[in-house]
Amino acid sequence: MGRALSTPGGRCPALLLLLLLLLLPLPGLTRSLLPQPEAACKNRPLDLVFIIDSSRSVRPEEFEEVKVFLSKMIDTLDVGERTTRVAVMNYASTVKVEFPLRTYFDKASMKEAVSHIEPLSAGTMTGLAIQTAMDEVFTEEMGTRPATFNIPKVVIIVTDGRPQDQVQDVAASARTSGIEIYAVGVGRADMQSLRVMASEPLDEHVFYVETYGVIEKLTSKFRETFCAVDMCEPGRHECDQICVSNNGSYVCECYEGYILNPDKKTCSAMDMCARGRHDCAQVCVSNDGSYSCDCFEGYTLNPDKKTCSAVDMCAPGRHDCEQVCVRDDLFYTCDCYQGYTLNPDKKTCSRAITSSLLTNEESCKCEAIAALQDSVTSRLEALSMKLDEVSEKLEAYQGKQQVV
């Protein structure tokens, strides 16, 4: 039988055994029970430049705290060539660009470079550092994206002292050029100088911590600042149809066939058949934010569903004439076969009735014919008489010849 656990004072109490079990790592302990790093920003790409003070007032161990702060800040950012680019500058009496915006596009390489930064240990030329950022870092050659990309240019200055040069004018120039400046003061930092450097509103761009040992607590603050909340998440907006996120705010839009109302939130169906909105050749039929094309009577819609062609109105089934359909452009009239007349309904036909009564015109025609016939008959009778006379004379002549 094994020996029981014991202490110099005797057998190990059950409470001590329980404590040991609690302290031992348990197999299968899931990562979900352990603290997880904060998720990276996803919503706001930046061209971000850190300017860190490494003057003689910053002790070596404090400078290491600054580098830890930089690494933790990098962890919270969505670092990449097309997302957030990061540069780091180190300054004292001189300025050193540790790496520009174009150098690293992954967090591991960036944090490795930060770990090798050494302090310069001299004066505090903050104005010179800001000017160098404008002249040598915020350029397209060094990795800053063109203005047409609308990528915010941001500077975070970390210092524990008072600038030894004129910082007011150069900071104002930087802000005018479109650079947003955050000023972080530590310990003995001059608050008035921080306010002169920073962008408006000052309560959102000026921060202060008592020591470098607690500077890490600003990480979450900057994370909230740089990671704009998606205002188009369900429940965050009042758009009737489409929400478009826009740097921490949002605008509403509408589906095709709808138009945004004056309240800039709701949408109304617009008349798609208004002039210039459709491509129908003849008739446009509006249909709840959409439309379809149709044709005038006598035309039919072509396969393109837009243009129209004239139809034969006298084609079988298209007219109601009983006997004959006569096409007249886009319309038709009815007629009848010979011997029939069109009824008053202009559609059906009845057999024609021959009348014994002649009209005046017909009577005149008949008299002229009768006169012509009489004239011809008289001439024929006269001719016949002459023929008879000739015949008689011929017979008499022949008789004389026989007597001789």
Side-chain angles (χ1 to χ4, degrees):
M1 181 177 294
R3 297 176 55 190
L5 290 175
S6 62
T7 64
R11 189 179 297 275
C12 177
L15 183 61
L16 181 58
L17 180 60
L18 178 61
L19 181 61
L20 288 173
L21 289 173
L22 291 173
L23 292 176
L24 289 174
L26 297 176
L29 183 64
T30 61
R31 291 179 59 84
S32 61
L33 299 178
L34 301 175
Q36 299 296 314
E38 289 184 285
C41 295
K42 295 294 183 184
N43 300 323
R44 191 185 177 196
L46 306 169
D47 283 342
L48 175 61
V49 178
F50 290 97
I51 301 178
I52 55 175
D53 179 359
S54 65
S55 60
R56 66 172 61 91
S57 62
V58 182
R59 293 189 289 271
E61 62 274 16
E62 292 176 332
F63 192 72
E64 291 301 314
E65 293 286 351
V66 175
K67 293 196 291 184
V68 171
F69 167 67
L70 292 183
S71 293
K72 288 187 176 295
M73 281 291 298
I74 290 168
D75 278 334
T76 68
L77 300 171
D78 183 19
V79 172
E81 184 176 6
R82 296 180 180 275
T83 51
T84 294
R85 299 182 181 184
V86 177
V88 175
M89 297 175 59
N90 183 11
Y91 82 98
S93 294
T94 58
V95 179
K96 180 181 180 182
V97 178
E98 298 291 346
F99 55 85
L101 294 166
R102 69 179 184 184
T103 304
Y104 302 114
F105 298 124
D106 66 282
K107 296 181 182 182
S109 300
M110 200 175 287
K111 290 164 65 176
E112 177 68 17
V114 167
S115 68
H116 295 297
I117 297 175
E118 296 293 334
L120 300 176
S121 300
T124 310
M125 305 296 286
T126 309
L128 178 62
I130 297 173
Q131 188 64 55
T132 303
M134 287 192 291
D135 296 342
E136 300 181 17
V137 179
F138 283 116
T139 65
E140 292 186 28
E141 292 77 14
M142 290 294 105
T144 300
R145 282 162 284 190
T148 54
F149 284 35
N150 293 319
I151 304 296
K153 294 183 289 186
V154 179
V155 162
I156 298 178
I157 301 173
V158 181
T159 181
D160 72 341
R162 180 192 298 271
Q164 295 176 346
D165 55 0
Q166 294 297 319
V167 74
Q168 183 171 355
D169 292 342
V170 68
S173 177
R175 295 193 301 267
T176 300
S177 71
I179 299 173
E180 185 177 10
I181 300 178
Y182 291 86
V184 177
V186 184
R188 300 172 298 276
D190 178 54
M191 292 302 298
Q192 182 57 35
S193 298
L194 298 178
R195 296 172 67 86
V196 166
M197 288 186 285
S199 299
E200 296 284 350
L202 295 178
D203 58 349
E204 296 180 7
H205 290 82
V206 177
F207 302 101
Y208 175 81
V209 290
E210 295 81 2
T211 66
Y212 283 103
V214 294
I215 194 172
E216 287 181 38
K217 71 181 184 181
L218 293 180
T219 305
S220 60
K221 182 65 178 177
F222 278 111
R223 173 180 167 75
E224 293 174 6
T225 300
F226 295 150
C227 291
V229 175
D230 184 5
M231 298 303 294
C232 286
E233 290 181 354
R236 287 187 179 274
H237 66 89
E238 299 176 313
C239 295
D240 184 28
Q241 292 186 356
I242 300 174
C243 177
V244 180
S245 189
N246 184 20
N247 269 343
S249 183
Y250 70 92
V251 293
C252 299
E253 292 184 0
C254 301
Y255 301 133
E256 185 177 0
Y258 290 80
I259 188 169
L260 196 64
N261 292 327
D263 63 8
K264 302 300 182 183
K265 299 175 184 177
T266 59
C267 301
S268 296
M270 58 186 179
D271 183 7
M272 295 301 294
C273 286
R275 185 184 298 274
R277 287 191 178 275
H278 67 89
D279 49 7
C280 296
Q282 292 187 357
V283 179
C284 176
V285 181
S286 187
N287 182 23
D288 192 24
S290 183
Y291 72 93
S292 59
C293 299
D294 204 349
C295 301
F296 300 135
E297 185 178 358
Y299 288 82
T300 185
L301 195 63
N302 292 327
D304 64 7
K305 302 299 183 183
K306 299 175 184 178
T307 58
C308 300
S309 296
V311 297
D312 182 3
M313 297 302 294
C314 285
R318 288 191 174 272
H319 66 90
D320 49 8
C321 297
E322 184 181 28
Q323 293 186 0
V324 179
C325 176
V326 180
R327 181 175 173 179
D328 181 18
D329 195 12
L330 300 178
F331 303 96
Y332 68 92
T333 57
C334 298
D335 203 351
C336 301
Y337 302 135
Q338 186 175 2
Y340 289 81
T341 58
L342 192 64
N343 292 328
D345 63 8
K346 303 298 184 182
K347 300 176 183 178
T348 59
C349 300
S350 297
R351 185 177 294 276
I353 300 175
T354 305
S355 175
S356 61
L357 299 176
L358 299 176
T359 63
N360 291 336
E361 184 178 356
E362 291 172 337
S363 177
C364 291
K365 289 180 179 178
C366 290
E367 291 176 359
I369 294 172
L372 178 61
Q373 288 176 343
D374 291 343
S375 175
V376 171
T377 301
S378 297
R379 289 178 179 274
L380 288 174
E381 289 177 350
L383 181 61
S384 179
M385 290 174 67
K386 287 182 180 182
L387 287 174
D388 289 342
E389 291 176 0
V390 171
S391 178
E392 290 175 358
K393 288 179 179 181
L394 180 61
E395 287 177 357
Y397 176 76
Q398 288 176 348
K400 290 179 179 181
Q401 289 292 326
Q402 288 176 358
V403 173
V404 175

